[in-house]
Amino acid sequence: QQQVKQSPQSLIVQKGGISIINCAYENTAFDYFPWYQQFPGKGPALLIAIRPDVSEKKEGRFTISFNKSAKQFSLHIMDSQPGDSATYFCAALTSNTGKLIFGQGTTLQVKP
Amino acid sequence: DAGVIQSPRHEVTEMGQEVTLRCKPISGHDYLFWYRQTMMRGLELLIYFNNNVPIDDSGMPEDRFSAKMPNASFSTLKIQPSEPRDSAVYFCASSLSVNYGYTFGSGTRLTVV
């Protein structure tokens, strides 16, 4: 019940295309859903986050879509750029435990 | 702000040796987390502290692992004795509050031979 399932494992997108990464969860107590971006040799960096009281959040080219009833959320990267090539992790947390649970990650490659 | 600082960046040690990883969180952050990253298991939470007090250590794999936070600006993760299966990247992260964005350090890549 603590798992966060992420797909796909890897993704190749052409420059200018849309990258979509999906996550699903079971624990309805999760109340914070961040996405992290990780470059090789670096730690994960917070990209964008959403709380379950909203269905969408947009920051620049990055958008989170959240479907509470389906217990799913996704990251959309518009106009994908080669610099976006990285590993992306979804995550979920319950405030009363403080434990941030990560998905398995998606390796994104944006081809020029 | 220098961010979360971890040392060393790389550690190579022989099986059976003691290993100590160090972390300096961002000043003012009340929460500190230790994660381990491997290809097989992804990012796993090992332990976290609130105001220097360990809150949840259920992710610590074995008694060989221990973590301390003697003050608000320093934490250690110790493995004694180390084993080859402990080889991984260990990350420290800190946060202002439990449901706020975590800031990760650059990690310590541990190799046990």
Side-chain angles (χ1 to χ4, degrees):
Chain A
Q1 205 183 28
Q2 286 295 315
Q3 280 187 319
V4 178
K5 296 182 180 180
Q6 184 172 345
S7 64
Q9 188 173 357
S10 62
L11 182 62
I12 299 175
V13 173
Q14 290 295 128
K15 178 182 176 182
I18 301 174
S19 303
I20 301 174
I21 305 170
N22 300 298
C23 283
Y25 63 97
E26 289 296 323
N27 187 352
T28 55
F30 286 143
D31 57 6
Y32 178 69
F33 301 88
W35 284 87
Y36 283 80
Q37 179 188 56
Q38 185 178 28
F39 292 105
K42 301 292 186 181
L46 180 65
L47 191 60
I48 186 172
I50 198 168
R51 302 190 192 277
D53 53 346
V54 297
S55 60
E56 186 175 282
K57 183 174 181 179
K58 183 177 181 179
E59 291 184 1
R61 296 184 294 110
F62 300 91
T63 299
I64 299 178
S65 297
F66 187 82
N67 186 329
K68 189 173 181 178
S69 61
K71 291 185 283 187
Q72 295 175 349
F73 59 111
S74 61
L75 176 69
H76 295 233
I77 306 174
M78 311 299 289
D79 186 26
S80 299
Q81 299 296 313
D84 297 332
S85 298
T87 300
Y88 292 82
F89 294 93
C90 63
L93 172 148
T94 50
S95 300
N96 63 350
T97 67
K99 297 173 71 168
L100 188 63
I101 308 298
F102 283 86
Q104 284 298 100
T106 297
T107 301
L108 170 65
Q109 182 184 357
V110 181
K111 289 194 169 183
Chain B
D1 190 347
V4 175
I5 300 173
Q6 291 187 247
S7 64
R9 287 299 312 274
H10 303 274
E11 177 79 36
V12 180
T13 190
E14 291 186 347
M15 181 174 63
Q17 296 297 306
E18 177 179 294
V19 176
T20 300
L21 311 181
R22 297 171 175 79
C23 175
K24 176 179 169 56
I26 292 174
S27 177
H29 281 193
D30 291 334
Y31 288 83
L32 184 138
F33 308 84
W34 283 100
Y35 279 83
R36 178 172 69 176
Q37 185 175 37
T38 61
M39 287 296 293
M40 289 297 295
R41 301 176 68 89
L43 279 158
E44 302 173 277
L45 177 64
L46 300 178
I47 185 172
Y48 80 92
F49 296 83
N50 179 23
N51 291 321
N52 314 336
V53 176
I55 302 301
D56 188 329
D57 65 354
S58 59
M60 297 285 262
E62 300 172 32
D63 291 345
R64 298 184 296 106
F65 286 70
S66 63
K68 294 182 179 180
M69 191 164 186
N71 57 63
S73 59
F74 184 66
S75 177
T76 60
L77 178 67
K78 186 175 293 186
I79 308 172
Q80 165 64 17
S82 58
E83 297 183 3
R85 59 193 169 116
D86 301 331
S87 298
V89 181
Y90 290 81
F91 287 104
C92 175
S94 69
S95 177
L96 276 172
S97 69
V98 73
N99 59 353
Y100 201 79
Y102 295 7
T103 301
F104 282 77
S106 294
T108 294
R109 180 174 295 277
L110 173 66
T111 303
V112 183
V113 299

